[in-house]
Amino acid sequence: MSSQHSIPTVDRVSVLPDSVICHILSFLPTKESAATSILSKRWNPLWLSVLTLDFDDQNFTEFSTFRHFVYSVIALRNITLQTIQSFRLKCGNSSGFNPHDVKRFIHAIFQRGIQNLNLEMSPFKLGFKLPHCVFSCSNLTALKLKGLAIDYSCDFNFPLLKTLHLYTISFGRDRDCFLRLLKGCPILEDLETKDLLLHSSNSTGMYVSLFNVYFIQKYELSTFLNLTHMKIVFELTHNWPGKWKWLTKVLQHCPKLQNLTIHEGSSDRNKIEDVDWMDTPIVPECFSSQLKTCSLIGYKGMNCDFQFAKYILKNAKVLQTMTINASPVDINIKHQILIKLTLCPRGSTTCKISFD
């Protein structure tokens, strides 16, 4: 009769060094990270050494409970004097939301040398104005904002900022505010924008939606010497027949761009032809030795779409992949688009065209 041997259980996680455990905890929301303190005496203080804080009031019924939790965590971190490298705050969903508390959270965090800030007001809080302390923080390397207002007449100074993501941002009455923000990021590498709101000078107290960076076509662009990734989403509420020509001008200000993504919205109002397309005589510098991938999402196969894709294929000398996403188009039209693009001259002998 054979005896059954039980397999001993081993807690392989707890034997890891504190630094490794803290790194693992950094991927959890702070509420879940704090819950690990009940596991054992050794685990009790570890979550306070995590370099990231991640708060979401969606997990709280009342904002007052959420506020108490955030303040408690910040107070405990003040006692331990631990550095906070990354701070993510998503709020606006719980009952009793108070924007003044959010500003206090941000002020408290910015006293700790924060490097990465991810702030999302959900749903969009038009009245929530980002605290001024954010724009005087020279330590920031990544800034991701969604659903709030930026309305300052001062200059911005982000000497270390490499990542800037702006989604559903109101720039108030100052049309130059967005441009000053870009100019204040001299080493920016990653820029994403969508649904930027700009106050209309032709109306009183009304906001018009100028999606993405459409409105800066009228202003002088800065040169982004370190920008390697750019994603632009066109979801225009009005016709813009010159957008592709404008985009080529933008590319001339991105000499190190390696990855370009253009996302066209599905609105029928975007279906206006650039009948007078002409290749610009000045080819963007990034085409000669930098641009490696180009993704065209929402490609409709219209003349303006095709001419822009052809322009990229012809001039991008080191392009490796052009990805076409034409999901609204049926399979036969997709096949025709692929044949048409395949016959275009290519500046790169290794470039591959693929349909996503």
Side-chain angles (χ1 to χ4, degrees):
M1 182 176 178
S2 61
S3 60
Q4 293 182 347
H5 299 282
S6 61
I7 301 176
T9 58
V10 179
D11 184 358
R12 299 185 183 278
V13 176
S14 293
V15 299
L16 295 173
D18 288 357
S19 59
V20 175
I21 294 178
C22 288
H23 180 68
I24 295 173
L25 293 179
S26 69
F27 294 96
L28 297 177
T30 300
K31 184 179 181 181
E32 296 180 11
S33 176
T36 63
S37 62
I38 66 173
L39 295 178
S40 68
K41 289 183 178 180
R42 187 206 170 192
W43 280 80
N44 183 270
L46 287 181
W47 72 279
L48 291 173
S49 298
V50 176
L51 299 179
T52 64
L53 293 179
D54 185 344
F55 299 104
D56 187 345
D57 74 342
Q58 191 171 7
N59 300 319
F60 296 80
T61 304
E62 297 291 334
F63 187 80
S64 58
T65 307
F66 174 72
R67 175 183 59 201
H68 177 73
F69 175 67
V70 175
Y71 279 139
S72 298
V73 172
I74 293 176
L76 288 171
R77 295 299 293 254
N78 287 339
I79 294 174
T80 60
L81 298 178
Q82 288 289 335
T83 301
I84 300 174
Q85 290 186 354
S86 180
F87 181 69
R88 177 182 178 269
L89 179 65
K90 180 180 179 181
C91 56
N93 293 291
S94 58
S95 175
F97 171 77
N98 187 339
H100 297 293
D101 284 311
V102 176
K103 292 182 179 181
R104 294 189 187 101
F105 299 158
I106 297 173
H107 277 289
I109 290 299
F110 268 80
Q111 297 175 9
R112 307 299 299 277
I114 185 174
Q115 297 178 9
N116 304 313
L117 175 64
N118 187 334
L119 182 60
E120 179 178 345
M121 297 291 103
S122 179
F124 175 44
K125 302 293 182 184
L126 185 62
F128 181 79
K129 188 175 179 180
L130 198 63
H132 189 272
C133 66
V134 174
F135 304 110
S136 59
C137 182
S138 58
N139 295 326
L140 278 179
T141 59
L143 180 60
K144 300 179 181 181
L145 305 174
K146 182 177 181 179
L148 46 84
I150 301 175
D151 188 8
Y152 294 101
S153 58
C154 63
D155 291 330
F156 301 95
N157 181 31
F158 294 121
L160 303 179
L161 195 71
K162 295 184 177 181
T163 300
L164 178 62
H165 293 180
L166 303 173
Y167 290 87
T168 317
I169 301 296
S170 167
F171 283 95
R173 298 177 181 274
D174 188 351
R175 282 178 170 264
D176 293 328
C177 185
F178 176 60
L179 287 182
R180 288 200 310 275
L181 175 57
L182 294 182
K183 290 180 179 179
C185 310
I187 64 170
L188 192 64
E189 296 179 359
D190 182 353
L191 172 65
E192 291 190 12
T193 68
K194 183 179 180 181
D195 298 0
L196 303 187
L197 306 177
L198 184 68
H199 189 275
S200 173
S201 59
N202 297 323
S203 59
T204 303
M206 296 294 291
Y207 282 79
V208 294
S209 179
L210 298 178
F211 291 88
N212 304 298
V213 290
Y214 163 66
F215 63 91
I216 66 175
Q217 65 172 320
K218 299 180 180 179
Y219 298 89
E220 181 182 355
L221 280 170
S222 300
T223 297
F224 304 106
L225 297 176
N226 295 279
L227 191 67
T228 59
H229 165 79
M230 182 166 65
K231 178 180 180 180
I232 297 181
V233 183
F234 291 112
E235 293 185 10
L236 304 178
T237 57
H238 52 276
N239 291 330
W240 183 10
K243 68 180 181 182
W244 295 112
K245 296 178 183 178
W246 169 83
L247 183 56
T248 60
K249 294 180 180 179
V250 173
L251 293 174
Q252 292 174 10
H253 293 266
C254 308
K256 294 185 179 180
L257 189 67
Q258 297 180 14
N259 306 291
L260 173 65
T261 299
I262 305 298
H263 190 164
E264 287 195 87
S266 57
S267 173
D268 289 338
R269 295 186 179 184
N270 287 336
K271 297 180 180 179
I272 183 169
E273 296 281 355
D274 276 346
V275 293
D276 297 325
W277 171 278
M278 290 182 62
D279 288 359
T280 174
I282 302 176
V283 177
E285 183 180 344
C286 62
F287 283 16
S288 62
S289 61
Q290 299 294 328
L291 191 65
K292 296 179 180 179
T293 67
C294 178
S295 298
L296 302 179
I297 303 173
Y299 185 91
K300 300 177 179 63
M302 298 167 58
N303 178 61
C304 52
D305 298 344
F306 171 71
Q307 292 295 341
F308 181 77
K310 179 181 177 182
Y311 176 75
I312 296 286
L313 289 171
K314 176 183 176 181
N315 294 289
K317 304 300 182 182
V318 296
L319 190 67
Q320 298 175 357
T321 306
M322 173 171 280
T323 303
I324 306 294
N325 181 307
S327 53
V329 181
D330 66 51
I331 189 64
N332 293 325
I333 297 179
K334 281 185 178 181
H335 182 66
Q336 295 175 12
I337 292 174
L338 180 59
I339 293 177
K340 193 174 181 181
L341 288 174
T342 302
L343 296 176
C344 292
R346 304 184 201 182
S348 170
T349 57
T350 60
C351 176
K352 296 181 179 180
I353 302 175
S354 64
F355 267 94
D356 189 5

